[in-house]
Amino acid sequence: MSRSDAQANRAKILVVAEEVFGAGGEGASTEEVARRAGVGIATVFRHYPTKAALLEAVLTERFTRLAGRAKAEAGAQDPGRAFFDFFAYMVADSASKIAIAEALAEAGGALDGPAAVASRELHDTVGVLLAQAQAAGAVRTDVDLPEVYALLIGASRAAYAGVGPEVRDRSLKIIFDGLATRP
Amino acid sequence: MSRSDAQANRAKILVVAEEVFGAGGEGASTEEVARRAGVGIATVFRHYPTKAALLEAVLTERFTRLAGRAKAEAGAQDPGRAFFDFFAYMVADSASKIAIAEALAEAGGALDGPAAVASRELHDTVGVLLAQAQAAGAVRTDVDLPEVYALLIGASRAAYAGVGPEVRDRSLKIIFDGLATRP
DNA sequence: GTATTTTCGGAGTGACCACTCCGTTTCGAG
DNA sequence: CTCGAAACGGAGTGGTCACTCCGAAAATAC
């Protein structure tokens, strides 16, 4: 059993790290995380032995949360709406999370460990949403998961740039029009 | 008049820097550039006084080249085709050029100096291509330059990720379908 | 061919950052 | 309250990287 103050610190570090890496990308420093969490540097490294481990913990947390949200949508009564809603949600959510978008971009390749598992889970759940939306006639049946996922990644990364919410939404609308079945 | 060997080095450094930053992003080291160019570090810094200056030179060069290509397309007999061709060309071209895509993403905001001028020129020329394509009836008239440019940036950044050419082309096709006028 | 001047190379320098060591503090069981 | 164990903070360490200094080398002028 670990001490309760240690558990609290561990949790706080995770939360702060998500903010810090979200704002500054992978380049943000561990000291910044420690400072903003109100702990010493050593405490961060005690809980997460390397910077990579900390980043992995952040990503795992985030992928898992997104996958959970996607799964919840997967039960919806309107699969078309569910698909497009989740797409828009994830893009908007990534707007302040560079690290996530960066990691997503890498995810095809090099990730390993728990984060890779969580990433795959997210990927697969988006696949389910897509299949359901296609079955319901809301999304063209001649598009496949790889290109849809690529669009999702691209829109997420673009969303981080100086692009405001209005432009982001208009961009999404164009993508959605490209994905939707023709009336 | 500068010595001819110095001019040759200066040019070679620019070319190599484009490769190195293209492959490794802004994080790539100046020493790497020097090594691959076959010159000493001091030589790089003599020609480009800071790393930022070197990066700016690379970006300026690249933006100017892209803008030139866009301008050439602007005279084409089929403006719709010209617009979509240039869009696809730029995305494919960015696939091996992270630094460019990153800089494009920033371009709304913080760039300054010659690179900013070149970036704006590219932006404006894309605007011309868009307007011509719309006038020719190839692109929906209810889309505007900001969202089109956002899509261009997003697609360029996504293209760098592990996404292969086939998936990239299928993603582009979806975007193009969203941009095209309905039959 | 020699003198002069430009350019070169690479060993330094200082700042930054991931990560470690250890004396001190704090928790919680008895 | 007391005491041992668990956890903490922050000064230190090694490595990396942007950038500088200066003696050596090479190019043009004559």
Side-chain angles (χ1 to χ4, degrees):
Chain A
M1 253 335 211
S2 60
R3 261 164 53 172
S4 63
D5 58 337
Q7 288 177 297
N9 272 341
R10 188 184 176 83
K12 172 140 207 190
I13 289 168
L14 226 214
V15 170
V16 171
E18 181 163 343
E19 290 171 21
V20 171
F21 290 135
E26 311 188 39
S29 78
T30 312
E31 292 182 36
E32 172 81 8
V33 175
R35 203 162 39 74
R36 297 249 303 252
V39 302
I41 312 163
T43 300
V44 175
F45 279 97
R46 192 168 309 109
H47 288 295
Y48 303 94
T50 64
K51 185 185 185 177
L54 176 56
L55 209 78
E56 164 136 345
V58 169
L59 293 178
T60 303
E61 158 85 6
R62 189 137 198 88
F63 287 147
T64 303
R65 208 144 65 202
L66 280 173
R69 168 117 189 184
K71 272 183 203 150
E73 297 263 24
Q77 55 287 54
D78 182 345
R81 195 188 162 90
F83 171 78
F84 288 117
D85 277 0
F86 178 75
F87 198 117
Y89 170 79
M90 186 166 148
V91 170
D93 198 53
S94 298
S96 59
K97 304 284 157 66
I98 322 180
I100 310 301
E102 280 174 354
L104 269 174
E106 306 282 318
L111 273 181
D112 61 340
V117 175
S119 170
R120 257 190 296 278
E121 190 181 4
L122 174 59
H123 178 272
D124 293 348
T125 309
V126 172
V128 171
L129 283 178
L130 173 63
Q132 289 181 349
Q134 287 175 318
V139 171
R140 292 162 51 173
T141 52
D142 64 340
V143 303
D144 242 343
L145 183 54
E147 53 262 32
V148 170
Y149 213 68
L151 286 171
L152 192 50
I153 293 170
S156 295
R157 300 194 86 188
Y160 169 70
V163 177
E166 336 74 38
V167 172
R168 185 184 70 221
D169 288 347
R170 280 203 290 274
S171 306
L172 274 185
K173 185 171 181 316
I174 293 168
I175 291 175
F176 288 176
D177 280 355
L179 286 170
T181 47
R182 300 307 153 95
Chain B
M1 255 329 208
S2 60
R3 259 164 51 174
S4 63
D5 57 337
Q7 287 177 299
N9 272 341
R10 189 184 174 81
K12 171 140 207 190
I13 288 168
L14 226 214
V15 170
V16 170
E18 181 163 345
E19 291 172 21
V20 171
F21 290 136
E26 311 187 40
S29 78
T30 313
E31 292 181 38
E32 172 81 7
V33 174
R35 203 162 38 76
R36 298 250 303 254
V39 302
I41 313 164
T43 301
V44 175
F45 280 97
R46 191 168 311 107
H47 288 293
Y48 303 95
T50 64
K51 184 184 185 178
L54 176 56
L55 209 78
E56 164 136 346
V58 169
L59 293 177
T60 303
E61 157 85 6
R62 189 138 199 87
F63 286 146
T64 303
R65 208 145 64 202
L66 280 173
R69 167 120 190 181
K71 270 182 204 148
E73 297 263 25
Q77 55 287 55
D78 182 347
R81 195 189 162 89
F83 171 77
F84 289 119
D85 277 0
F86 178 74
F87 198 116
Y89 170 79
M90 184 166 152
V91 170
D93 198 54
S94 299
S96 58
K97 305 284 157 67
I98 323 182
I100 310 301
E102 280 173 354
L104 269 173
E106 307 281 318
L111 273 181
D112 62 339
V117 176
S119 169
R120 255 189 297 279
E121 190 182 4
L122 173 58
H123 177 273
D124 293 348
T125 309
V126 171
V128 171
L129 283 178
L130 173 64
Q132 290 181 348
Q134 286 175 319
V139 170
R140 292 162 51 173
T141 52
D142 64 340
V143 304
D144 241 344
L145 183 55
E147 54 261 31
V148 171
Y149 213 69
L151 286 171
L152 192 51
I153 293 169
S156 295
R157 300 194 85 188
Y160 169 70
V163 178
E166 336 76 37
V167 171
R168 185 183 70 220
D169 288 347
R170 279 204 291 275
S171 306
L172 275 185
K173 186 172 182 312
I174 294 169
I175 292 176
F176 289 176
D177 280 355
L179 285 170
T181 45
R182 299 308 152 96

